[in-house]
Amino acid sequence: MSADGTATLTGAGKVLGAVTAAAFIWALLSSGATWLIGADRALAIAGLDGAAPRALGHFSRRSGTPIGANLLSGAMATLVMLLAFRLSAGSAERYFTIALGVAISTTTMAYLGIFPALVRLRRTRPEVPRPYRVPAGAAGAWVVSALTTFWAGVATVWLLWPGLGTDWFGATGDPDASLPAGVGRAAFELTQIVPIVVLLAVGVLFYALGTPTRRRAASDRAHATGDGGQ
């Protein structure tokens, strides 16, 4: 151990440390790839359903991957990376903290719409078979939806504003101490809020661009049920 308290691995410890670091990097890479694959396919299906431009629903005949969604997510990821690197002054540690915050907060924000859907679907589509059931009927659905939505909301708020509450109730904590080292409050909030605002705006735009697909699907259903000639 050095004079400043930093441990230095040697021999077998150095080898095990390298193996552990490689395994950790591989776990992060595979987890990120899994998230991206799932998100891209969801975006492609949204294009097919009319909640996004139809072009995003194009799948490769050879590999089965959603080409349009893959290209779009790659472009958006590159823009967010450049913004985060710019505001983090090129620090890999700061960039990782900022980018991770955006990734997690956007996920928890999505849950704010997903969890309450349980109650609505119980009422509007009770006949649809589902592999998982929440017991206790409507009361159970309300309790589960309320609890999960509440904690998703709490997580979202604290991710967007680290340190919130540290100076409440007479406490003397500094909220900015929860920020990444070397990143000010204004710079951090820009890296979190700007991407979210852009994503929300893109979502609204995509829904508007998906209008022709929704109208076509409604027309097809009307003809299939014999209402087209009414």
Side-chain angles (χ1 to χ4, degrees), residues 166-195:
T166 55
D167 55 351
W168 293 356
F169 309 113
T172 58
D174 180 14
D176 291 347
S178 299
L179 295 171
V183 179
R185 173 66 63 180
F188 179 84
E189 297 304 333
L190 282 175
T191 62
Q192 305 300 302
I193 295 175
V194 170

Side-chain angles (χ1 to χ4, degrees), residues 80-149:
V80 172
M81 179 192 70
L82 293 175
L83 174 63
F85 260 122
R86 176 72 176 176
L87 295 177
S88 64
S91 170
E93 180 180 359
R94 295 175 192 168
Y95 165 71
F96 179 80
T97 303
I98 291 171
L100 185 63
V102 173
I104 298 176
S105 63
T106 50
T107 302
T108 56
M109 288 181 66
Y111 290 154
L112 296 177
I114 293 173
F115 292 142
L118 169 62
V119 175
R120 176 170 175 78
L121 291 175
R122 279 284 185 93
R123 297 177 57 186
T124 60
R125 302 289 182 86
E127 76 286 352
V128 176
R130 299 182 176 91
Y132 301 100
R133 300 288 298 178
V134 175
W142 273 101
V143 170
V144 170
S145 292
L147 288 175
T148 52
T149 303

Side-chain angles (χ1 to χ4, degrees), residues 198-227:
V198 171
L199 289 174
L200 291 174
V202 169
V204 173
L205 174 63
F206 277 9
Y207 189 78
L209 294 176
T211 301
T213 301
R214 295 194 304 274
R215 288 176 177 171
R216 191 181 310 114
S219 177
D220 292 343
R221 286 194 298 269
H223 282 88
T225 56
D227 295 333

Side-chain angles (χ1 to χ4, degrees), residues 56-81:
L56 294 178
H58 177 66
F59 285 78
S60 169
R61 291 175 178 265
R62 182 169 62 89
S63 60
T65 56
I67 299 175
N70 287 158
L71 293 174
L72 178 64
S73 63
M76 292 295 294
T78 301
L79 289 175
V80 172
M81 179 192 70

